[in-house]
Amino acid sequence: MKRKVTKAVFPVAGMGTRFLPATKSVPKEIMTLVDRPLIQYAIDEARAAGITEFIFVTSRGKGALEDYFDHAPELENSLRAKGKTELLETLQATNMDSGAIAYVRQHQALGLGHAVWCARHLVGNEPFAVLLPDDVIAAEKPCLQQMIEAYEQTGGNMIAAMEVAPDKASSYGIMDVPPAIGPILPMSGMVEKPAPGTQPSNLAAIGRYVLSPDIMRHLDQIKPGVGGEIQLTDAIAREIAEKRNVYGFRFEGQRYDCGSKAGFLQATVAFGLARAELHDELNEFLTDMMTQRQAAQ
């Protein structure tokens, strides 16, 4: 019997060095796309998928991230007194109920697998989701919701899959899957950051997972892999070898890599254009800028 997925792990312990100096004092996860922090996009996606327990794997210097989800009574009272109802509702939507959110510390930067393993006691013997806030996915139906609906058909483990160019494969965990039509792809293997030309397919795992509790057992046993880190990919590969119950999932939507400056800027433009109150002015600015650049050339 498949158990309902109600817990999600958010690995947010990274230092965000690619965004220095901003991340010297501001956690990368609360940097904003338009007017919402990266972490809010991930939380909203998880809520839409039925997640009710949120586990954050943090590190030193993340106090502002924890404060973000707390209530702000002074600000709420000020907005209420001024009759700013819409802003008040927007603010209240960021609040988390008491007991819904928990934090654990990752004391050493030992990789994504280690970060997930740090949440093992809170996950317990239940299936769980993992969301990487750096990966922001624009989709009509939220990506994690698509995945959990697929998981309800198959059970096991479900990993979001995205096609990548051959020269980019060495930056991802790459799935070994048969050529098939459809969103759900049974996996026969998985390789973390394969050497150029050795990748088993062009399908890469990105930052959305639905995992069985057995993954924690594998993480407890594996040794450091690529980069001297505990790789989540290696634990998933063990699960494939042991049970053959891991599936890649081709989701519908557009993924933005907000862990990179270029991806963050692309997402900012895309999400800005998607907002009705911003579209016309932003589109006009972009059109004028391109016209001026072409004229200068």
Side-chain angles (χ1 to χ4, degrees):
M1 178 179 176
K2 295 182 290 292
R3 300 185 66 177
K4 187 174 177 62
V5 182
T6 60
K7 296 182 177 181
V9 176
F10 300 82
V12 292
M15 293 185 290
T17 52
R18 284 186 285 181
F19 284 87
L20 285 170
T23 48
K24 178 182 178 181
S25 60
V26 177
K28 177 182 61 177
E29 296 80 16
I30 59 173
M31 293 176 62
T32 57
L33 286 180
V34 188
D35 54 5
R36 292 166 61 198
L38 292 177
I39 192 63
Q40 188 66 56
Y41 288 92
I43 288 290
D44 290 345
E45 182 179 331
R47 282 173 162 166
I51 299 298
T52 56
E53 296 182 56
F54 305 82
I55 304 165
F56 290 84
V57 182
T58 68
S59 59
R60 292 181 69 252
K62 298 288 183 172
L65 175 64
E66 297 183 17
D67 290 341
Y68 173 76
F69 291 109
D70 205 350
H71 289 248
E74 297 87 356
L75 182 54
E76 290 182 15
N77 289 336
S78 175
L79 293 174
R80 190 176 292 108
K82 295 176 181 178
K84 296 184 177 181
T85 305
E86 187 173 343
L87 278 177
L88 178 61
E89 291 175 352
T90 298
L91 179 65
Q92 289 175 333
T94 68
N95 295 339
M96 302 290 281
D97 294 335
S98 297
I101 191 166
Y103 301 93
V104 295
R105 284 289 183 99
Q106 183 185 26
H107 296 297
Q108 294 177 283
L110 296 178
L112 175 59
H114 182 262
V116 172
W117 176 83
C118 288
R120 64 198 183 282
H121 297 306
L122 293 172
V123 167
N125 192 34
E126 296 183 39
F128 62 101
V130 176
L131 296 92
L132 307 187
D134 279 358
D135 284 337
V136 177
I137 301 173
E140 185 174 343
K141 177 184 288 186
C143 179
L144 187 62
Q145 183 179 349
Q146 297 177 44
M147 293 176 66
I148 287 180
E149 289 176 359
Y151 162 82
E152 289 171 350
Q153 300 176 40
T154 63
N157 303 263
M158 193 73 59
I159 305 169
M162 180 186 74
E163 292 186 5
V164 295
D167 62 334
K168 301 291 185 183
S170 60
S171 297
Y172 294 89
I174 300 297
M175 303 176 179
D176 188 352
V177 294
I181 298 173
I184 301 175
L185 306 171
M187 294 170 57
S188 56
M190 193 172 181
V191 182
E192 180 67 22
K193 297 181 173 64
T198 67
Q199 62 270 21
S201 76
N202 67 340
L203 283 180
I206 65 159
R208 299 293 185 274
Y209 305 79
V210 178
L211 301 174
S212 76
D214 285 331
I215 293 296
M216 292 297 190
R217 172 170 56 83
H218 298 311
L219 288 171
D220 203 37
Q221 297 171 352
I222 62 175
K223 295 179 180 180
V226 175
E229 297 181 338
I230 302 296
Q231 298 290 348
L232 182 58
T233 297
D234 293 343
I236 292 169
R238 278 200 176 197
E239 180 74 352
I240 294 171
E242 187 176 286
K243 295 186 179 179
R244 297 281 174 174
N245 66 349
V246 180
Y247 304 87
F249 181 77
R250 287 194 182 108
F251 61 92
E252 294 183 3
Q254 175 66 49
R255 174 254 191 177
Y256 297 93
D257 177 12
C258 291
S260 72
K261 293 175 184 177
F264 191 92
L265 290 171
Q266 292 163 10
T268 299
V269 172
F271 279 78
L273 289 172
R275 294 274 288 268
E277 75 275 21
L278 300 175
H279 177 273
D280 290 348
E281 186 174 350
L282 180 56
N283 188 58
E284 182 180 356
F285 167 75
L286 293 172
T287 301
D288 289 346
M289 183 177 66
M290 292 304 300
T291 300
Q292 292 172 17
R293 177 169 293 184
Q294 291 169 1
Q297 294 174 346

